[in-house]
Amino acid sequence: MSGAGNLAAQSLFNTAAEAKITKLIRKMTLDEKIAVIHASSSFTSGGVKRLGIPEITTSDGPHGVRPEHGRDWVLDEGVDDAGTYLPTGNTLAATWNPTLGYAYGSVLGSEANYRSKDIILGPGINIIRSPLNGRNFEYLSEDPYLIAKMAVGYIKGVQDQGVSACVKHYAANNEEADRGTVNVLMSERALREIYLPGFKAAVQEGQVNSIMGSYNKFRGQHATHSAYLVNTILKGEWGFKGLLMSDWGSVHDTKEALLNGTDLEMGTDLVLMNSTVSQTASNGGKVHEDLYSQFFMADAAKAMVKNGSIKEAVIDEKVRRILRVMLKTHMLDGKRIKGVYNSKNHQATALKVAEEGIVLLKNEGGLLPLSAAGLKSVAVIGENATRENAMGGGSSQVKAKYEITPLEGLKNLLGKETPVKYAQGYKIALNQQADSALIQQAVTAARSADVAIIYCGWTHGYDYSKWDNNAYDAEGVDKPNLDMPFGQNELIKAVLEANPKTIVVLMGGGPIDISGWVDHAAAIVEGWYPGMEGGNALAKVLFGQVNPSGKLPMTFPKKLEDSPAHHLGEFPGKNGEVHYNEGIFVGYRYFDTFKVKPQYAFGHGLSYTTFTYSAMSVKRNGNAVTVKVKLKNSGSRAGAEVLQLYVKQNQTKIEKPEKELKAFRKIFLKAGEEQLVEFQLTADAFKYYDETQKGWLTAPGSFNIMLGSASDDIRGERTVL
Ligand code: BGC
């Protein structure tokens, strides 16, 4: 697996380029060098006009190019910045389709080019450790292998457009509320096996140009200038040759940042603007040029070079990394690709990702797919049916060219013939409890309709501009618990009682506690935040125009307490520290090993067709293993299956999870069609990180290869010695 072994250093920068860079650095004055290693506005770094070195323009973010800001972070008006809003990270990961990762990245790269952005601040690949993390919606998975595969596709997609991706947030940024101060403490094994493989794959397989250091501390030092994370691992062991920029305001110490590998300081203007000093300043806290000279890596850095406490070569090395990225992305010769904005193709990618990412969680008695023919009326219930999400959640906000809500999607599909009756059902508002009048309206609508569809779950909060504790899926906050807010449980129970033909569609950034009514609902769908075409994709899935093929990229626990971070570890941290006592037992690694039954398992996702697996053949060839299986679509419609290959080690003294994902393939088959599917596992798939030896080892003992349709639906198991 990508987490193991020591691949060659990044190979993307060549000798000729290095010579050119050396020449350029020689021409630069100290002031000019300092100018390029910190921000010059909220999203640019300094350039050197005299030498033709441009500013770097960065932009969020993971699922679309962010709207334009002024220097004071106020959104610009009257600019053409409404673009493609892609489904968020969870949806992309739920496709289990790396080809779509590439397509997704291509859209971002192309639109970034059109908007003259040099670096896209994404993908966000932090491990989904607790379901409460407010930023889970941006992230991909609880599993490092799935993250690695999806992120590499995404990065290549962006970078093949000549724009840099920026993988974030390095590393261990798994909670939001205290993200700037919390000191994360975990075992070395957990770090190596769970929290780092995605980043390592981004560097070595994805050849990513830039990485963003995170806000939190790691073992006592801020991650952005952690000697261990940045110098030892990222730039040392992994051979990263690109630039490490800070998160916005994550630098806290000039000397540490200079010596421990921070190449570009961004966002400290935010910190300065919020500080008492600048708020009481005569300019009323407004940003002006001076602010940028107050960055840790500005005047203070220059002074350190001047007084001899830092060698100028340290600054040169940062400038070199920045220039490498500029050279590689044609920022110095102006040969940029033009880019395309809002094309039909981009919208089609947004639709495709949503269609493949939506997960059919439950479908008892074949309630789904619905058939439009003969359907006399549909009741649509819930504020999430009409809610737009593009501008929600924090820095990942996108001004969407348009956003098809679930209700609009249904109307698009059904046309005028089938009446759709909408009832709000609940109100997204601060401290809102169940509203009996709204529930009554919903019950009446459900009772008089052939079928009812409830769109419920999480939201990006009641007010996009406030990232407070009622925001649920948003940056800077964590969810208070897993309970459905706004009295939705009462609503859902009442509607299920009124009409058993009720479909529940969950929206949002992952698990929510549905234990109060799950047994009474025949059909449940996970819709995530499915982007600008999300409403169309949802309607197509519900009515069978698209056969669902998404699989959960994270475990849905029954109860919050069942989650490993809450049961064995801590979440959130206390007194400035958080201990990841669950170690490597994150997500399904915990549920399977500790025999805790989840609501829905990692990798789970149903289809409208059925797939049959032949007996698999497993052949060992030295350290590698080849697995072959015939997959047949044994049902009556075309569909796709994600074959998931897990490895389990038998009889070992080393603590190992019950099983770990080591390969997967998504296979599309017509009804009745059959295909031979082959997997190649290398020696890395069988290794663990040994803390004493400080390296990847294979423990003695046999292994089981498990192949299945979900982590809890294994269709074949064989032992390899
Ligand atoms: C976020 C980053 C984002 C940056 C710039 C920070 O608050 O953590 O993910 O890229 O702001 O908007």
Side-chain angles (χ1 to χ4, degrees):
M1 95 178 228
S2 56
N6 234 345
L7 293 180
Q10 274 197 317
S11 55
L12 61 167
F13 306 106
N14 60 41
T15 327
E18 295 301 316
K20 210 168 166 181
I21 291 168
T22 306
K23 260 192 177 162
L24 206 47
I25 294 177
R26 283 205 189 115
K27 290 186 192 152
M28 295 170 79
T29 64
L30 179 58
D31 281 319
E32 288 169 341
K33 291 173 187 174
I34 297 286
V36 304
I37 65 168
H38 66 267
S40 57
S41 78
S42 51
F43 281 94
T44 59
S45 62
V48 184
K49 254 208 180 116
R50 181 180 76 86
L51 297 171
I53 300 171
E55 296 190 322
I56 298 180
T57 306
T58 66
S59 174
D60 289 298
H63 39 260
V65 185
R66 191 175 177 173
E68 298 297 330
H69 282 263
R71 288 204 154 192
D72 299 343
W73 291 81
V74 176
L75 286 187
D76 290 349
E77 281 179 28
V79 283
D80 176 23
D81 59 354
T84 300
Y85 165 45
L86 292 155
T88 64
N90 301 159
T91 328
L92 177 63
T95 68
W96 292 59
N97 186 347
T99 315
L100 283 183
Y102 184 88
Y104 189 107
S106 309
V107 171
L108 284 170
S110 180
E111 301 213 347
N113 266 328
Y114 181 90
R115 297 261 308 272
S116 304
K117 310 295 183 195
D118 305 306
I119 300 185
I120 273 289
L121 304 173
I125 65 164
N126 292 93
I127 287 283
I128 296 183
R129 174 177 176 256
S130 156
L132 298 188
N133 179 12
R135 272 187 109 166
N136 281 347
F137 74 96
E138 286 182 62
Y139 298 147
L140 302 177
S141 175
E142 67 188 23
D143 181 79
Y145 182 83
L146 178 58
I147 291 175
K149 289 297 157 211
M150 297 309 296
V152 166
Y154 178 130
I155 292 161
K156 288 188 171 162
V158 172
Q159 297 197 164
D160 282 356
Q161 297 296 318
V163 168
S164 296
C166 180
V167 173
K168 64 193 191 183
H169 308 87
Y170 186 74
N173 181 183
N174 309 102
E175 61 195 59
E176 282 298 295
D178 53 0
R179 65 181 182 176
T181 49
V182 68
N183 182 25
V184 178
L185 298 165
M186 69 169 89
S187 71
E188 186 66 14
R189 193 172 164 202
L191 177 72
R192 299 288 183 156
E193 291 188 19
I194 307 292
Y195 294 91
L196 292 189
F199 291 100
K200 184 176 183 180
V203 170
Q204 298 190 329
E205 292 171 41
Q207 300 286 317
V208 75
N209 291 346
S210 68
I211 295 195
M212 186 188 291
S214 59
Y215 281 119
N216 54 288
K217 288 181 186 161
F218 180 77
R219 295 183 188 156
Q221 207 163 39
H222 273 101
T224 298
H225 34 84
S226 150
Y228 188 57
L229 288 178
V230 182
N231 283 346
T232 306
I233 298 181
L234 176 67
K235 295 185 175 179
E237 289 178 30
W238 301 347
F240 176 63
K241 297 277 193 285
L243 82 92
L244 179 97
M245 73 176 74
S246 71
D247 199 339
W248 269 233
S250 74
V251 172
H252 297 270
D253 184 287
T254 300
K255 196 161 191 180
E256 269 192 13
L258 293 180
L259 292 179
N260 296 349
T262 317
D263 300 312
L264 174 57
E265 180 188 3
M266 298 298 293
T268 307
D269 43 331
L270 266 180
V271 182
L272 294 168
M273 278 162 74
N274 291 336
S275 73
T276 350
V277 181
S278 71
Q279 269 174 25
T280 52
S282 55
N283 67 356
K286 284 244 184 281
V287 185
H288 59 86
E289 298 300 329
D290 258 341
L291 213 46
Y292 298 96
S293 63
Q294 294 174 46
F295 273 44
F296 291 93
M297 287 167 63
D299 287 359
K302 182 180 164 188
M304 281 192 175
V305 176
K306 285 276 188 207
N307 72 23
S309 54
I310 292 286
K311 291 203 179 86
E312 189 162 343
V314 170
I315 311 290
D316 288 355
E317 214 257 336
K318 300 179 191 308
V319 175
R320 175 175 296 280
R321 286 172 176 274
I322 291 167
L323 290 175
R324 273 183 193 143
V325 172
M326 288 190 174
L327 216 63
K328 189 185 169 218
T329 54
H330 294 285
M331 288 179 63
L332 298 177
D333 61 18
K335 287 190 193 144
R336 289 276 299 265
I337 300 173
K338 263 216 163 69
V340 176
Y341 206 47
N342 281 321
S343 69
K344 287 269 173 262
N345 278 344
H346 292 183
Q347 290 153 17
T349 299
L351 177 63
K352 192 93 191 101
V353 172
E355 287 176 354
E356 284 197 34
I358 291 164
V359 182
L360 179 58
L361 294 173
K362 182 174 181 184
N363 192 18
E364 251 174 36
L367 178 54
L368 290 173
L370 298 169
S371 159
L375 200 64
K376 284 195 222 70
S377 59
V378 182
V380 174
I381 294 159
E383 192 166 334
N384 271 352
T386 57
R387 192 163 174 90
E388 294 182 359
N389 292 300
M391 284 296 283
S395 62
S396 64
Q397 62 179 196
V398 181
K399 221 188 261 173
K401 180 79 185 164
Y402 62 84
E403 182 176 348
I404 309 286
T405 64
L407 181 60
E408 285 164 355
L410 275 178
K411 288 186 172 167
N412 290 345
L413 186 137
L414 290 171
K416 292 220 167 67
E417 293 88 74
T418 317
V420 173
K421 191 159 171 53
Y422 173 67
Q424 187 184 355
Y426 65 92
K427 224 184 258 155
I428 297 174
L430 188 58
N431 300 325
Q432 179 69 37
Q433 305 291 319
D435 182 319
S436 51
L438 290 181
I439 293 179
Q440 200 41 52
Q441 281 168 16
V443 163
T444 310
R447 222 176 249 142
S448 59
D450 284 354
V451 289
I453 311 173
I454 309 181
Y455 295 88
C456 53
W458 297 119
T459 74
H460 281 309
Y462 71 99
D463 181 346
Y464 297 144
S465 64
K466 295 199 183 90
W467 299 348
D468 66 15
N469 208 25
N470 208 33
Y472 304 107
D473 285 319
E475 185 177 340
V477 298
D478 295 311
K479 294 167 185 145
N481 51 53
L482 258 200
D483 299 341
M484 290 194 118
F486 318 125
Q488 293 178 80
N489 279 323
E490 288 88 329
L491 167 75
I492 296 167
K493 281 185 200 161
V495 173
L496 285 170
E497 209 154 283
N499 189 341
K501 282 192 180 171
T502 292
I503 294 131
V504 183
V505 181
L506 301 168
M507 309 294 294
I512 195 162
D513 188 335
I514 58 173
S515 57
W517 46 262
V518 61
D519 292 338
H520 306 287
I524 307 176
V525 172
E526 174 56 55
W528 316 109
Y529 291 113
M532 69 197 299
E533 285 283 343
N536 286 335
L538 279 165
K540 287 182 176 196
V541 165
L542 296 179
F543 282 86
Q545 289 183 9
V546 165
N547 191 350
S549 63
K551 301 274 187 177
L552 290 181
M554 80 280 278
T555 310
F556 278 34
K558 285 190 173 161
K559 291 270 162 208
L560 180 62
E561 310 84 85
D562 294 344
S563 296
H566 298 264
H567 194 78
L568 299 178
E570 291 175 342
F571 186 100
K574 277 189 247 59
N575 308 322
E577 277 190 0
V578 58
H579 295 262
Y580 289 15
N581 295 330
E582 73 280 11
I584 57 169
F585 295 104
V586 173
Y588 68 93
R589 284 170 169 77
Y590 166 77
F591 286 87
D592 286 352
T593 313
F594 289 74
K595 311 242 175 305
V596 179
K597 212 171 151 27
Q599 192 70 64
Y600 295 112
F602 174 78
H604 170 76
L606 304 172
S607 167
Y608 297 145
T609 187
T610 49
F611 295 97
T612 317
Y613 290 60
S614 73
M616 62 176 166
S617 81
V618 177
K619 253 198 207 124
R620 186 174 165 170
N621 193 350
N623 282 333
V625 172
T626 306
V627 178
K628 288 184 188 164
V629 71
K630 269 194 201 145
L631 179 78
K632 184 171 182 178
N633 181 343
S634 45
S636 55
R637 13 170 122 222
E641 168 71 322
V642 178
L643 298 95
Q644 303 162 36
L645 199 155
Y646 297 87
V647 170
K648 168 191 181 167
Q649 178 149 30
N650 301 307
Q651 311 111 15
T652 171
K653 289 197 192 96
I654 309 294
E655 197 172 42
K656 284 271 194 142
E658 169 66 18
K659 57 169 136 19
E660 295 184 275
L661 182 74
K662 297 295 176 182
F664 63 86
R665 294 273 308 275
K666 186 163 192 172
I667 303 290
F668 294 80
L669 294 176
K670 295 197 187 94
E673 207 183 345
E674 189 173 51
Q675 189 179 320
L676 182 71
V677 186
E678 200 174 313
F679 298 91
Q680 298 286 353
L681 294 177
T682 64
D684 287 347
F686 303 95
K687 290 181 176 163
Y688 75 99
Y689 188 84
D690 190 281
E691 294 189 348
T692 326
Q693 306 280 321
K694 296 191 173 24
W696 295 88
L697 301 181
T698 311
S702 66
F703 291 89
N704 278 12
I705 305 286
M706 304 163 151
L707 188 62
S709 178
S711 65
D712 67 344
D713 184 6
I714 298 301
R715 304 289 179 89
E717 185 164 354
R718 293 277 301 276
T719 305
V720 267
L721 296 171

